[in-house]
Amino acid sequence: MAQAVDLTDLDMWARGVPHREFTRLRREAPVAWFGEPAPNSGFWSVHGYADIVTASRDVATFSSARGISFEEPTDEDMAARRTIIDTDPPEHTKLRKIVSGSFTQRAVAVYRHFVEGLTEEVLDTALAGGEFDFVDAVAKEVPIRVLARIMGLPGADLDTFIDLGDRLIANTDPDITDVVWGRDDTDAYRRYPFRSPYGKQLWDLGREIVAGRLRSPGDDLLSTLLQAEVDGDRLSETDLDNFFSILVIAGNETTRIAIAQGILAFCEHPEQWDRLRADPGLLDTATEEVLRWTCPTHFMRRTAMAGTELGGTAIRAGDKVVLWYVSGNRDEAEFDDPATFDIGRSPNRHLSFGRGGPHLCLGAHVARLEVGIVLAALARRVAGFELAGPPRRIRSNFTNGLRELPLRVRPA
Ligand code: HEM
């Protein structure tokens, strides 16, 4: 039977991405129904590239307003914690307009020098020891500091941001958080981000920082949010809480995953590392291939607003629809040899930032800048990588996170 795999089995994901199962599902059941244990209601699982893009584009039918994860929050819960990512047009368009100018390729280019300096500093420390955990020493260090620079976050709080972000994104991993979604009774936290008490802590920290910024505005993104108007009104306290939390959460862990899983890919394909070192002109295509291959966010969920059809399958109004970007990124109908890690791949219209719809990752240019700069710096300084122990994955079907990547490096 096509659905024999259970895509909600997090212990399976902790062992690895079920690429073989997705390959079979794309062939045998490109849009398939999966049941879920109560209180959840089950979901349509979309595996093919073209169907994912079609659903992303059709926001009137496939809404983000009921959330983008498997969770099924009530309207009241949603109202308290709705961020830009779970908003439909026209509200989404207004929120996006506030921040889009800060994230264009041109706006982001001003951070190049800063990211290069930061990366060299981080590598000076990391590479001084012959053997180290790449996640802790490198992948974790760069994204949060870049985000702090863009948003104007105080340096003293960065470790707390990392910790809270981890506990939220990895809210299904008991090694990372003591309040586990699907295991613990999280009803008391249902109005907080990720249905977690740590979501409330992130809001509180955000409010302290916002209060400071109100006293002394700067030219950072938080100040932009504080001065923004939508339909003649300033953003409400709830809007600010949620904008703050989505930016911290979305910009940190995802980029960390791309960097760490990208280096793991080069450990497993050393000939591609040699190729990049021999031809720095491949940096841009290598960055895109790292993003396709690592797919830091495995899926986004939508909810059908009306009865419709996707990939020849009838979907009812109210049904949950999960778009598996991680499967679309390996779709044979879109990519030649999708199971090959090829740093020269072109074209490479991967789905790692989403595609076709208005929610396309706001931070895509920031992420590309960071991944490209880290790869370029490592290519200059490291002749090769070797695993110094088994990588440890996060227990999640939402992110492709690594907790640990023990490495030995051969200096260039
Ligand atoms: C490799 C790194 C990253 C990956 C893989 C990633 C992935 C994604 C994905 C899949 C979406 C949803 C797209 C959709 O629904 O179609 C998204 C949205 C978003 N991302 Fe990223 N992201 C990354 C980095 C960043 C960074 C660095 C920031 C901020 C500095 C950021 C901020 C956002 C925001 C605010 C949204 C919501 C946009 C909206 O709803 O309009 N992301 N991202």
Side-chain angles (χ1 to χ4, degrees):
M1 186 172 128
Q3 287 93 316
V5 60
D6 176 4
L7 293 172
T8 65
D9 174 357
L10 303 183
D11 295 322
M12 169 185 81
W13 286 89
R15 292 189 294 275
V17 175
H19 284 300
R20 274 226 312 270
E21 303 293 348
F22 276 128
T23 303
R24 192 173 55 77
L25 286 166
R26 283 193 301 276
R27 204 173 45 234
E28 295 174 11
V31 179
W33 179 257
F34 283 78
E36 275 180 293
N40 279 5
S41 55
F43 61 96
W44 289 105
S45 187
V46 184
H47 312 116
Y49 184 97
D51 290 336
I52 292 170
V53 174
T54 299
S56 304
R57 206 169 264 150
D58 183 0
V59 289
T61 309
F62 296 98
S63 164
S64 297
R66 296 285 178 89
I68 48 87
S69 74
F70 281 95
E71 196 195 332
E72 296 173 16
T74 64
D75 288 346
E76 292 76 28
D77 299 346
M78 242 8 262
R81 52 192 252 209
R82 186 184 304 289
T83 76
I84 184 172
I85 210 167
D86 17 51
T87 308
D88 289 332
E91 288 74 21
H92 175 264
T93 318
K94 294 176 197 166
L95 291 175
R96 181 97 180 187
K97 214 170 133 202
I98 298 172
V99 283
S100 56
S102 305
F103 288 94
T104 61
Q105 193 165 8
R106 200 155 163 209
V108 159
V110 305
Y111 301 111
R112 171 171 289 282
H113 192 62
F114 169 77
V115 182
E116 283 172 349
L118 168 65
T119 302
E120 292 301 331
E121 242 174 68
V122 165
L123 292 185
D124 285 346
T125 311
L127 301 177
E131 202 174 300
F132 57 93
D133 174 12
F134 185 83
V135 175
D136 229 34
V138 181
K140 217 177 212 176
E141 288 297 320
V142 177
I144 190 71
R145 286 176 210 292
V146 176
L147 203 61
R149 171 69 188 258
I150 296 174
M151 290 180 71
L153 307 179
D157 291 330
L158 297 191
D159 286 344
T160 314
F161 283 124
I162 291 183
D163 181 56
L164 292 177
D166 287 357
R167 286 168 189 265
L168 295 176
I169 289 266
N171 67 344
T172 49
D173 188 333
D175 288 342
I176 296 178
T177 179
D178 53 343
V179 184
V180 178
W181 184 69
R183 181 194 74 178
D184 299 320
D185 178 5
T186 53
D187 204 47
Y189 316 120
R190 62 186 203 279
R191 305 231 160 129
Y192 303 141
F194 290 82
R195 209 182 168 93
S196 166
Y198 300 107
K200 167 84 165 60
Q201 286 187 24
L202 187 59
W203 280 353
D204 291 345
L205 190 55
R207 281 191 186 188
E208 275 176 40
I209 295 170
V210 162
R213 200 53 41 80
L214 277 171
R215 287 193 295 274
S216 53
D219 61 355
D220 50 73
L221 187 56
L222 271 191
S223 302
T224 305
L225 289 179
L226 289 173
Q227 282 148 25
E229 288 188 5
V230 176
D231 297 338
D233 290 323
R234 290 281 157 103
L235 293 177
S236 68
E237 195 162 57
T238 305
D239 288 337
L240 283 172
D241 285 344
N242 287 316
F243 235 133
F244 183 84
S245 59
I246 183 83
L247 287 167
V248 168
I249 293 167
N252 182 27
E253 165 99 12
T254 45
T255 318
R256 182 199 312 170
I257 297 172
I259 294 170
Q261 289 281 14
I263 293 308
L264 176 56
F266 282 112
C267 285
E268 290 166 346
H269 303 89
E271 77 294 346
Q272 296 296 312
W273 188 247
D274 296 342
R275 202 177 155 202
L276 178 61
R277 295 195 68 228
D279 182 0
L282 288 170
L283 188 64
D284 286 350
T285 51
T287 301
E288 294 308 314
E289 182 66 344
V290 160
L291 288 162
R292 179 187 77 94
W293 189 257
T294 65
C295 197
T297 309
H298 289 144
F299 71 84
M300 284 283 144
R301 166 260 179 115
R302 302 290 188 255
T303 306
M305 298 308 282
T308 186
E309 174 269 327
L310 187 63
T313 303
I315 288 177
R316 292 155 306 191
D319 284 352
K320 199 156 71 169
V321 179
V322 175
L323 310 175
W324 291 102
Y325 297 161
V326 63
S327 173
N329 273 352
R330 302 278 178 112
D331 190 336
E332 306 70 8
E334 171 63 23
F335 300 100
D336 293 336
D337 263 338
T340 301
F341 179 60
D342 169 9
I343 63 161
R345 182 181 293 280
S346 178
N348 189 349
R349 292 184 294 249
H350 62 74
L351 301 176
S352 296
F353 294 129
R355 185 166 292 273
H359 291 281
L360 178 76
C361 174
L362 179 72
H365 294 304
V366 181
R368 288 188 168 110
L369 186 75
E370 289 182 47
V371 173
I373 287 173
V374 172
L375 285 182
L378 282 167
R380 276 194 308 275
R381 297 176 65 158
V382 174
F385 304 97
E386 199 184 301
L387 284 178
R392 269 174 72 204
R393 294 176 58 77
I394 287 172
R395 180 178 179 273
S396 168
N397 60 0
F398 183 50
T399 77
N400 192 20
L402 283 180
R403 289 197 64 192
E404 219 177 289
L405 180 61
L407 283 190
R408 252 187 307 274
V409 299
R410 257 183 304 118

